[in-house]
Amino acid sequence: QSNATVGASGSWCQGLDIPNELFLVLGLVSLVENLLVVAAILKNRNLHSPTYYFICCLAVSDMLVSISNLAEMLFMLLLEHGVLVMRPSIVRHMDSIIDMLICSSVVSSLSFLGVIAVDRYITIFYALRYHSIMTLQRAVVTMASIWLASTVSSAVLITYYCSNTILLCLIGFFLFMLVLMLVLYIHMFALARHHLHSISSQQKPPTTHRGGSLKGAVTLTILLGVFFICWGPFFLHLILIVTCPTNPFCTCFFSYFNLFLILIICNSVIDPLIYAFRSQELRRTL
């Protein structure tokens, strides 16, 4: 029984054999999707507003996730097949540059998801003052600050990647974004539910209230569910690196790292469907 258990756990700990073609296909789909979003927002003057600029920046971040993963995959394939021959020192530098690009895109993507949540919150709760609160100048400063912070933090992260302090900062950033989105979206849903309840009480059919609440609940579940499912395993991976790097269970979990990367790329594919393509104006532009 002991040998059988060890054998079963050993096979489970081998991880998933994810073909390189899947990385390439998902990366290309994400690249095309997000490129369409950026092109549509730049082309249509009706979409030149802070809200759509934030969505455009999210699309650029997701594009960078795709480009960096595609570049790393192609780079590794060329080296493995002997097509590309480089000195080990140059390979290490190239690897650091690609890793920095990946980290920068991950941090900026998370940041813009949070900014979009804040922007929606202001739109709902401060509708009359929205244009005075979220001016174009403030939006530009916000976007520039996020890109600058993402670049600096990714450089620090790659330089000191062995430090648990750096990993804890990254984990804390993810948890902060998760809590921020959770609080804001639940508060927005509660307001929408209260508003629908008020409408239904004014001699309106009760089905309106139930239908609107259900739609709001589904949207909220999709937003937070996609965020948690796509990003959660990767950050759990980082948490386990800090808390139990030598534990057998944690070691088994580490073997699924490629799956966590696939989920992050899937998030880059799903983001345009949630944040961009639901806009009728943007769909018409496309």
Side-chain angles (χ1 to χ4, degrees):
Q1 286 179 344
S2 175
N3 288 338
T5 304
V6 171
S9 64
S11 62
W12 185 79
C13 291
Q14 289 176 359
L16 290 176
D17 185 19
I18 299 176
N20 294 331
E21 290 80 9
L22 182 59
F23 279 96
L24 293 174
V25 169
L26 285 175
L28 287 172
V29 171
S30 171
L31 181 61
V32 171
E33 267 190 353
N34 287 288
L35 195 59
L36 284 173
V37 172
V38 173
I41 291 174
L42 293 178
K43 181 176 177 59
N44 190 342
R45 290 185 177 276
N46 293 332
L47 300 176
H48 291 184
S49 65
T51 298
Y52 284 101
Y53 285 150
F54 293 143
I55 292 175
C56 183
C57 284
L58 176 63
V60 172
S61 298
D62 287 339
M63 248 190 336
L64 288 177
V65 172
S66 307
I67 291 171
S68 53
N69 276 286
L70 284 171
E72 185 173 40
M73 188 59 58
L74 291 172
F75 186 62
M76 289 169 60
L77 288 173
L78 290 174
L79 287 174
E80 286 175 7
H81 290 83
V83 177
L84 192 64
V85 180
M86 289 184 175
R87 292 200 303 270
S89 58
I90 297 177
V91 172
R92 284 196 297 271
H93 285 306
M94 290 290 293
D95 187 52
S96 296
I97 291 171
I98 292 173
D99 285 345
M100 183 176 166
L101 185 62
I102 292 173
C103 288
S104 178
S105 57
V106 165
V107 172
S108 60
S109 185
L110 284 170
S111 300
F112 283 114
L113 286 172
V115 168
I116 289 170
V118 172
D119 181 72
R120 286 183 171 183
Y121 185 85
I122 296 173
T123 303
I124 290 176
F125 285 91
Y126 303 95
L128 297 178
R129 295 171 50 204
Y130 174 80
H131 294 290
S132 60
I133 295 173
M134 189 57 70
T135 61
L136 186 59
Q137 183 179 5
R138 285 176 180 168
V140 170
V141 170
T142 301
M143 291 183 287
S145 301
I146 288 175
W147 286 117
L148 179 62
S150 300
T151 305
V152 172
S153 61
S154 62
V156 172
L157 181 65
I158 295 303
T159 305
Y160 302 101
Y161 70 94
C162 291
S163 171
N164 284 347
T165 305
I166 296 296
L167 292 180
L168 286 172
C169 289
L170 190 58
I171 293 164
F173 175 68
F174 167 76
L175 293 176
F176 170 75
M177 283 300 167
L178 178 62
V179 171
L180 176 69
M181 292 177 67
L182 192 64
V183 170
L184 293 181
Y185 281 126
I186 287 178
H187 196 189
M188 283 186 272
F189 171 64
L191 177 70
R193 189 171 181 274
H194 175 73
H195 181 64
L196 288 168
H197 180 71
S198 300
I199 293 174
S200 63
S201 64
Q202 297 174 4
Q203 298 180 352
K204 296 281 185 181
T207 53
T208 304
H209 162 59
R210 289 198 296 270
S213 296
L214 180 61
K215 186 178 178 181
V218 169
T219 303
L220 177 68
T221 304
I222 291 172
L223 285 170
L224 297 177
V226 167
F227 179 81
F228 189 76
I229 291 170
C230 291
W231 291 100
F234 173 75
F235 281 91
L236 179 58
H237 178 94
L238 297 183
I239 291 171
L240 295 182
I241 287 176
V242 174
T243 56
C244 59
T246 58
N247 184 281
F249 172 79
C250 298
T251 306
C252 284
F253 192 81
F254 297 154
S255 65
Y256 287 84
F257 183 71
N258 277 344
L259 176 61
F260 310 151
L261 290 182
I262 284 289
L263 288 175
I264 290 177
I265 299 175
C266 285
N267 183 78
S268 300
V269 174
I270 296 170
D271 274 347
L273 303 178
I274 296 177
Y275 295 98
F277 294 148
R278 294 177 67 199
S279 164
Q280 186 177 357
E281 183 74 22
L282 195 141
R283 287 201 307 271
R284 188 161 48 242
T285 306
L286 289 172

